[in-house]
Amino acid sequence: MTKSKISPNRQVSSLVEETLAFAHVFEEVGIDYCCGGDIPLESACEEAGIDVDDVLDRLESEQTETKDESDGWNSMSELTDHIVTAHHDRLRDELPALEALVHKVTEVHSDDHPELQEAESEFVELADEMQTHISEEEDELFPIVRKLERGMPLSDIETETIENEIEGFEDDHQETADRLDRIAELTDGYAVPSSACASYRSMLDRLESLERETHLHVHKENNVLFPAIESLVAKTGVEL
Ligand SMILES: [Fe+2]
Ligand SMILES: [Fe+2]
């Protein structure tokens, strides 16, 4: 048994919450740390059919090699600002551009790769839902978070909005994860066919990046931001 400072009983999501760089390791070994990260590391490894000691070794080396990004968030406002600039703004640029590429590749290659048609439909739905979702977070939830953090009293409607929004956003995150899983499955884990042209390769590469970045984005909301909001609400005595 490898001696490790990290306990295999720790929850996957809390490990990433503490050390964001662990997300890279979990992506590489295929462990879900965002929507399904609410289980002990040992069980997650068992489910994924991988050796828990190997994963612990990789986590330990990641821990010594990287400076953790999450050290930089001193408040919920800083975190929401970070989410907007690092994730939402990037999605606003990337989703329409990637959608155009998906249409182009599907049009040219779907005779040889009929699975591209379903991947295209999934992507169109995904892009539409994600763009609505990020605007709703920015317009409806984040302003209330700033108000709450400044100690300003919330109206009943705002209190109710927090509760409903968080629940709705978590459901959206799961739906997004399911669509990304389906796209990964349809493309055989973004495997590049031998006949693929540069556009096809670029599409697969960008879809894979989108999946990885979305896992990180969702983790920051589901496992860091939303619990922080709930805890601040509890501290300020607002009933949810
Ligand atoms: Fe977001
Ligand atoms: Fe979100």
Side-chain angles (χ1 to χ4, degrees):
M1 185 88 179
T2 304
K3 282 202 173 156
S4 170
K5 280 172 251 154
I6 302 167
S7 161
N9 298 321
R10 292 281 310 275
Q11 278 198 338
V12 174
S13 57
S14 79
L15 286 168
V16 180
E17 190 183 329
E18 200 174 276
T19 309
L20 200 63
F22 287 168
H24 302 296
V25 175
F26 291 131
E27 288 286 356
E28 277 167 19
V29 299
I31 287 180
D32 176 8
Y33 64 89
C34 53
C35 292
D38 227 11
I39 57 169
L41 177 63
E42 196 160 30
S43 314
C45 289
E46 234 175 78
E47 272 179 28
I50 46 181
D51 187 274
V52 69
D53 289 335
D54 286 348
V55 176
L56 286 167
D57 285 345
R58 293 173 76 155
L59 292 175
E60 298 256 312
S61 29
E62 190 75 30
Q63 199 168 34
T64 51
E65 280 167 21
T66 55
K67 163 93 181 78
D68 192 15
E69 184 192 349
S70 61
D71 287 349
W73 304 319
N74 296 313
S75 66
M76 288 191 300
S77 304
E78 271 185 34
L79 178 54
T80 53
D81 288 349
H82 162 80
I83 287 170
V84 171
T85 48
H87 297 289
H88 293 190
D89 287 350
R90 175 159 159 68
L91 285 169
R92 285 192 178 95
D93 288 339
E94 177 63 358
L95 289 172
L98 184 50
E99 186 169 336
L101 184 60
V102 168
H103 287 315
K104 181 180 148 187
V105 170
T106 305
E107 198 182 329
V108 175
H109 294 277
S110 61
D111 283 349
D112 292 335
H113 295 279
E115 71 281 2
L116 285 173
Q117 284 178 350
E118 190 185 336
E120 179 190 37
S121 309
E122 285 287 346
F123 185 83
V124 168
E125 293 289 332
L126 172 85
D128 187 46
E129 288 165 3
M130 282 186 105
Q131 286 176 97
T132 304
H133 175 92
I134 60 177
S135 294
E136 283 175 357
E137 285 179 338
E138 288 175 24
D139 297 343
E140 295 166 23
L141 183 65
F142 294 180
I144 302 179
V145 169
R146 283 189 281 275
K147 206 172 157 181
L148 188 65
E149 203 166 43
R150 281 190 214 115
M152 294 163 78
L154 299 188
S155 68
D156 289 348
I157 292 176
E158 286 170 330
T159 305
E160 206 178 311
T161 301
I162 291 185
E163 182 180 21
N164 294 338
E165 292 293 344
I166 288 180
E167 214 176 293
F169 290 145
E170 284 173 344
D171 289 347
D172 290 350
H173 292 163
Q174 186 57 59
E175 201 169 325
T176 298
D178 292 345
R179 288 200 192 280
L180 288 166
D181 276 354
R182 182 66 187 138
I183 292 170
E185 192 183 357
L186 286 163
T187 58
D188 194 19
Y190 313 103
V192 179
S194 54
S195 60
C197 63
S199 297
Y200 202 152
R201 284 199 302 272
S202 168
M203 178 194 77
L204 292 168
D205 186 52
R206 286 163 72 175
L207 286 171
E208 187 169 13
S209 298
L210 176 70
E211 186 180 26
R212 284 179 176 236
E213 284 167 21
T214 301
H215 288 161
L216 210 50
H217 176 184
V218 166
H219 162 76
K220 289 171 190 170
E221 293 175 355
N222 275 12
N223 302 326
V224 184
L225 179 65
F226 297 165
I229 296 172
E230 281 159 352
S231 137
L232 188 59
V233 165
K235 256 192 237 164
T236 53
V238 181
E239 280 290 316
L240 279 188

